Amino acid sequence: MTEERLYKLFQQSVEAKMNAGEVLFPDILAAGDIMVDSLLNGGKILICGNGPSAALAQIFSNSLINRFERERPSLPAITLGCDLTNVTAIANEKSFNEVFGKEIKALGNENDVLIIFTSSGNPSNLVQAIQAAHEKNMHIIALNGRDGGNISSLLDVNDKELRVPSNSRGRIHEIHLLIIFCLCDLIDEQLFGPIE
């Protein structure tokens, strides 16, 4: 790989982020408000995704439970699908499509928010997660990409989709990570005031 190729990758990343920001700023603010309202009303944040999106889910829950940019009280967040015993039991006895939905049915409540991460919008287990969350009257925030896939059509007026306007899997994941950091900053500022 040449320096020219590296420069081009950095340039593509910056351009994709700026383009996404222009489109997504209002929706990111609205998603932050949904999460803050949930937390202020005793709700918790349930988060899920597959593969690299599962890693993003864990980064998000860690930033809520532990800390983001400052010390502050822990916020209630759960990354779904992290308990290998639950995942393998559900996948073996039922179907891998149900691994998130069954956990939502057990752990989710009306004041909670489900955050899903996907670059394609098509995983069947995330489709079932949305259906389970709707049964519990939970809000859903979908960090999505490409054309939105099957997930876009399942969201209702109370849900929020943050769809990255890109077809590049790498750019979508990068921007999802940036959105996580934006949401954490919004939540911390609204709950604990601006950073001095």
Side-chain angles (χ1 to χ4, degrees), residues 123-135:
S124 298
N125 58 2
L126 296 179
V127 167
Q128 290 198 19
I130 289 171
Q131 293 167 342
H134 280 155
E135 289 172 15

Side-chain angles (χ1 to χ4, degrees), residues 124-179:
S124 298
N125 58 2
L126 296 179
V127 167
Q128 290 198 19
I130 289 171
Q131 293 167 342
H134 280 155
E135 289 172 15
K136 292 278 192 165
N137 294 317
M138 296 168 58
H139 285 286
I140 298 163
I141 299 170
L143 282 81
N144 206 345
R146 298 189 178 122
D147 66 359
N150 297 326
I151 284 170
S152 288
S153 64
L154 295 175
L155 301 174
D156 65 29
V157 294
N158 297 313
D159 302 327
K160 186 59 60 185
E161 182 180 34
L162 306 176
R163 188 188 315 167
V164 174
S166 175
N167 288 317
S168 166
R169 188 174 177 199
R171 300 295 84 77
I172 293 167
H173 290 310
E174 288 174 359
I175 295 167
H176 283 176
L177 182 61
L178 179 58
I179 292 170

Side-chain angles (χ1 to χ4, degrees), residues 12-52:
Q12 288 171 351
S13 178
V14 170
E15 288 173 2
K17 287 175 181 154
M18 294 308 296
N19 290 338
E22 290 174 10
V23 173
L24 295 176
F25 284 163
D27 292 327
I28 293 170
L29 290 168
D33 288 342
I34 290 168
M35 294 176 68
V36 167
D37 287 344
S38 171
L39 293 166
L40 288 173
N41 288 297
K44 61 190 171 296
I45 311 298
L46 305 180
I47 313 168
C48 61
N50 296 297

Side-chain angles (χ1 to χ4, degrees), residues 9-92:
L9 290 172
F10 271 78
Q11 188 177 32
Q12 288 171 351
S13 178
V14 170
E15 288 173 2
K17 287 175 181 154
M18 294 308 296
N19 290 338
E22 290 174 10
V23 173
L24 295 176
F25 284 163
D27 292 327
I28 293 170
L29 290 168
D33 288 342
I34 290 168
M35 294 176 68
V36 167
D37 287 344
S38 171
L39 293 166
L40 288 173
N41 288 297
K44 61 190 171 296
I45 311 298
L46 305 180
I47 313 168
C48 61
N50 296 297
S53 293
L56 291 170
Q58 289 184 304
I59 290 168
F60 202 2
S61 65
N62 172 264
S63 297
L64 295 171
I65 291 171
N66 184 33
R67 62 177 301 220
F68 180 55
E69 294 283 0
R70 60 174 149 179
E71 291 300 328
R72 48 116 169 105
S74 296
L75 300 173
I78 300 169
T79 306
L80 303 174
C82 283
D83 184 325
L84 187 59
T85 306
N86 281 345
V87 170
T88 56
I90 294 166
N92 181 53

